[in-house]
Amino acid sequence: MTYPIPKHRRRNPIGLFEENYRLLCALLPDLLEGEEAVSLRADAGPSVLQARVLERSPYTRLLSLRMPFVSAGVALPELSMQLRMYHDARVAEVIAYQGCGRIPAPYQVKPRSPWLNDEKRQINLLLHELLRYCQRHAYRVPLAQDTQ
């Protein structure tokens, strides 16, 4: 079953990439200032968002995000993705997701391909929803007294 993309996201796809960049900068300022890895946790709930810098360059940063799902007795796979932040353009996009190393652009999807022609946009929308979820639930780096 495919997930329908809201109409306002279909009209302005770059807006989604810009918003993802803004949310990443707000949630992960430590990674932008030189840290190699951070774990964000909500005040309530066991879920942890793990972020790691895989590559740094003057204009881009390659990040890895992982979020295991904890549910009462139900085995759910963790969410994992790699994304690239373009600092000069102030956009962020998912470049790998759940072990799929390369997500094709819409014009690269052939008729009998296992990919959907809007797969890249859907995966970036998933990143957007994950970042908004973390923002709504006040995910942050735990303070020293929180970890004891």
Side-chain angles (χ1 to χ4, degrees), residues 8-18 121:
H8 69 283
R9 291 288 179 224
R10 282 185 250 156
R11 286 192 303 259
N12 184 11
I14 292 297
L16 178 63
F17 298 114
E18 292 169 339
R121 194 175 303 166

PDB file of all heavy atoms in Angstrom, residues 8-18 121:
ATOM      1  N   HIS A   8       0.051  19.828  -0.779  1.00  0.00           N
ATOM      2  CA  HIS A   8       0.977  20.944  -0.600  1.00  0.00           C
ATOM      3  C   HIS A   8       2.427  20.490  -0.742  1.00  0.00           C
ATOM      4  O   HIS A   8       3.293  21.276  -1.082  1.00  0.00           O
ATOM      5  CB  HIS A   8       0.748  21.647   0.743  1.00  0.00           C
ATOM      6  CG  HIS A   8       1.133  20.834   1.936  1.00  0.00           C
ATOM      7  ND1 HIS A   8       0.346  19.804   2.423  1.00  0.00           N
ATOM      8  CD2 HIS A   8       2.234  20.879   2.720  1.00  0.00           C
ATOM      9  CE1 HIS A   8       0.930  19.261   3.478  1.00  0.00           C
ATOM     10  NE2 HIS A   8       2.086  19.893   3.679  1.00  0.00           N
ATOM     11  N   ARG A   9       2.726  19.210  -0.533  1.00  0.00           N
ATOM     12  CA  ARG A   9       4.078  18.692  -0.718  1.00  0.00           C
ATOM     13  C   ARG A   9       4.354  18.389  -2.191  1.00  0.00           C
ATOM     14  O   ARG A   9       5.476  18.384  -2.623  1.00  0.00           O
ATOM     15  CB  ARG A   9       4.303  17.426   0.103  1.00  0.00           C
ATOM     16  CG  ARG A   9       4.325  17.680   1.564  1.00  0.00           C
ATOM     17  CD  ARG A   9       5.600  18.398   1.951  1.00  0.00           C
ATOM     18  NE  ARG A   9       5.587  18.652   3.361  1.00  0.00           N
ATOM     19  CZ  ARG A   9       5.940  19.792   3.914  1.00  0.00           C
ATOM     20  NH1 ARG A   9       6.345  20.785   3.174  1.00  0.00           N
ATOM     21  NH2 ARG A   9       5.897  19.952   5.208  1.00  0.00           N
ATOM     22  N   ARG A  10       3.315  18.092  -2.967  1.00  0.00           N
ATOM     23  CA  ARG A  10       3.515  17.826  -4.387  1.00  0.00           C
ATOM     24  C   ARG A  10       3.829  19.102  -5.147  1.00  0.00           C
ATOM     25  O   ARG A  10       4.556  19.089  -6.117  1.00  0.00           O
ATOM     26  CB  ARG A  10       2.272  17.167  -4.983  1.00  0.00           C
ATOM     27  CG  ARG A  10       2.182  15.698  -4.637  1.00  0.00           C
ATOM     28  CD  ARG A  10       1.025  15.065  -5.330  1.00  0.00           C
ATOM     29  NE  ARG A  10       0.056  14.754  -4.280  1.00  0.00           N
ATOM     30  CZ  ARG A  10      -1.220  14.612  -4.454  1.00  0.00           C
ATOM     31  NH1 ARG A  10      -1.750  14.769  -5.629  1.00  0.00           N
ATOM     32  NH2 ARG A  10      -2.005  14.318  -3.451  1.00  0.00           N
ATOM     33  N   ARG A  11       3.271  20.211  -4.717  1.00  0.00           N
ATOM     34  CA  ARG A  11       3.492  21.482  -5.419  1.00  0.00           C
ATOM     35  C   ARG A  11       4.895  22.018  -5.193  1.00  0.00           C
ATOM     36  O   ARG A  11       5.462  22.621  -6.083  1.00  0.00           O
ATOM     37  CB  ARG A  11       2.469  22.513  -4.954  1.00  0.00           C
ATOM     38  CG  ARG A  11       1.082  22.280  -5.502  1.00  0.00           C
ATOM     39  CD  ARG A  11       0.212  23.491  -5.240  1.00  0.00           C
ATOM     40  NE  ARG A  11       0.141  23.808  -3.826  1.00  0.00           N
ATOM     41  CZ  ARG A  11      -0.866  23.501  -3.034  1.00  0.00           C
ATOM     42  NH1 ARG A  11      -1.898  22.871  -3.506  1.00  0.00           N
ATOM     43  NH2 ARG A  11      -0.851  23.825  -1.765  1.00  0.00           N
ATOM     44  N   ASN A  12       5.450  21.859  -4.019  1.00  0.00           N
ATOM     45  CA  ASN A  12       6.738  22.440  -3.686  1.00  0.00           C
ATOM     46  C   ASN A  12       7.649  21.387  -3.056  1.00  0.00           C
ATOM     47  O   ASN A  12       7.843  21.383  -1.845  1.00  0.00           O
ATOM     48  CB  ASN A  12       6.548  23.629  -2.736  1.00  0.00           C
ATOM     49  CG  ASN A  12       7.851  24.331  -2.443  1.00  0.00           C
ATOM     50  OD1 ASN A  12       8.866  24.080  -3.070  1.00  0.00           O
ATOM     51  ND2 ASN A  12       7.816  25.219  -1.473  1.00  0.00           N
ATOM     52  N   PRO A  13       8.229  20.499  -3.866  1.00  0.00           N
ATOM     53  CA  PRO A  13       9.067  19.452  -3.280  1.00  0.00           C
ATOM     54  C   PRO A  13      10.330  19.990  -2.623  1.00  0.00           C
ATOM     55  O   PRO A  13      10.809  19.426  -1.649  1.00  0.00           O
ATOM     56  CB  PRO A  13       9.399  18.545  -4.462  1.00  0.00           C
ATOM     57  CG  PRO A  13       9.195  19.386  -5.662  1.00  0.00           C
ATOM     58  CD  PRO A  13       8.142  20.390  -5.306  1.00  0.00           C
ATOM     59  N   ILE A  14      10.883  21.089  -3.112  1.00  0.00           N
ATOM     60  CA  ILE A  14      12.088  21.652  -2.509  1.00  0.00           C
ATOM     61  C   ILE A  14      11.789  22.152  -1.101  1.00  0.00           C
ATOM     62  O   ILE A  14      12.647  22.088  -0.219  1.00  0.00           O
ATOM     63  CB  ILE A  14      12.658  22.786  -3.386  1.00  0.00           C
ATOM     64  CG1 ILE A  14      13.198  22.203  -4.689  1.00  0.00           C
ATOM     65  CG2 ILE A  14      13.756  23.557  -2.679  1.00  0.00           C
ATOM     66  CD1 ILE A  14      14.341  21.242  -4.532  1.00  0.00           C
ATOM     67  N   GLY A  15      10.581  22.614  -0.857  1.00  0.00           N
ATOM     68  CA  GLY A  15      10.195  23.064   0.478  1.00  0.00           C
ATOM     69  C   GLY A  15      10.355  21.967   1.515  1.00  0.00           C
ATOM     70  O   GLY A  15      10.738  22.223   2.659  1.00  0.00           O
ATOM     71  N   LEU A  16      10.094  20.723   1.137  1.00  0.00           N
ATOM     72  CA  LEU A  16      10.259  19.584   2.039  1.00  0.00           C
ATOM     73  C   LEU A  16      11.739  19.405   2.394  1.00  0.00           C
ATOM     74  O   LEU A  16      12.085  19.213   3.563  1.00  0.00           O
ATOM     75  CB  LEU A  16       9.711  18.312   1.387  1.00  0.00           C
ATOM     76  CG  LEU A  16       9.848  17.016   2.170  1.00  0.00           C
ATOM     77  CD1 LEU A  16       9.068  17.083   3.467  1.00  0.00           C
ATOM     78  CD2 LEU A  16       9.383  15.856   1.326  1.00  0.00           C
ATOM     79  N   PHE A  17      12.624  19.502   1.420  1.00  0.00           N
ATOM     80  CA  PHE A  17      14.062  19.366   1.663  1.00  0.00           C
ATOM     81  C   PHE A  17      14.579  20.523   2.527  1.00  0.00           C
ATOM     82  O   PHE A  17      15.430  20.319   3.387  1.00  0.00           O
ATOM     83  CB  PHE A  17      14.833  19.303   0.353  1.00  0.00           C
ATOM     84  CG  PHE A  17      14.460  18.126  -0.508  1.00  0.00           C
ATOM     85  CD1 PHE A  17      13.833  18.309  -1.724  1.00  0.00           C
ATOM     86  CD2 PHE A  17      14.733  16.838  -0.094  1.00  0.00           C
ATOM     87  CE1 PHE A  17      13.487  17.222  -2.515  1.00  0.00           C
ATOM     88  CE2 PHE A  17      14.401  15.750  -0.879  1.00  0.00           C
ATOM     89  CZ  PHE A  17      13.765  15.940  -2.094  1.00  0.00           C
ATOM     90  N   GLU A  18      14.066  21.714   2.301  1.00  0.00           N
ATOM     91  CA  GLU A  18      14.459  22.869   3.115  1.00  0.00           C
ATOM     92  C   GLU A  18      13.977  22.725   4.553  1.00  0.00           C
ATOM     93  O   GLU A  18      14.704  23.030   5.498  1.00  0.00           O
ATOM     94  CB  GLU A  18      13.903  24.161   2.505  1.00  0.00           C
ATOM     95  CG  GLU A  18      14.542  24.526   1.189  1.00  0.00           C
ATOM     96  CD  GLU A  18      13.824  25.653   0.467  1.00  0.00           C
ATOM     97  OE1 GLU A  18      12.621  25.902   0.768  1.00  0.00           O
ATOM     98  OE2 GLU A  18      14.445  26.274  -0.398  1.00  0.00           O
ATOM     99  N   ARG A 121      10.611  11.038  -2.886  1.00  0.00           N
ATOM    100  CA  ARG A 121       9.828  12.032  -2.155  1.00  0.00           C
ATOM    101  C   ARG A 121       9.150  11.403  -0.945  1.00  0.00           C
ATOM    102  O   ARG A 121       9.080  12.019   0.124  1.00  0.00           O
ATOM    103  CB  ARG A 121       8.791  12.668  -3.074  1.00  0.00           C
ATOM    104  CG  ARG A 121       8.200  13.914  -2.450  1.00  0.00           C
ATOM    105  CD  ARG A 121       7.277  14.650  -3.345  1.00  0.00           C
ATOM    106  NE  ARG A 121       7.931  15.029  -4.576  1.00  0.00           N
ATOM    107  CZ  ARG A 121       7.282  15.442  -5.643  1.00  0.00           C
ATOM    108  NH1 ARG A 121       5.984  15.520  -5.633  1.00  0.00           N
ATOM    109  NH2 ARG A 121       7.927  15.774  -6.732  1.00  0.00           N
TER     110      ARG A 121
END
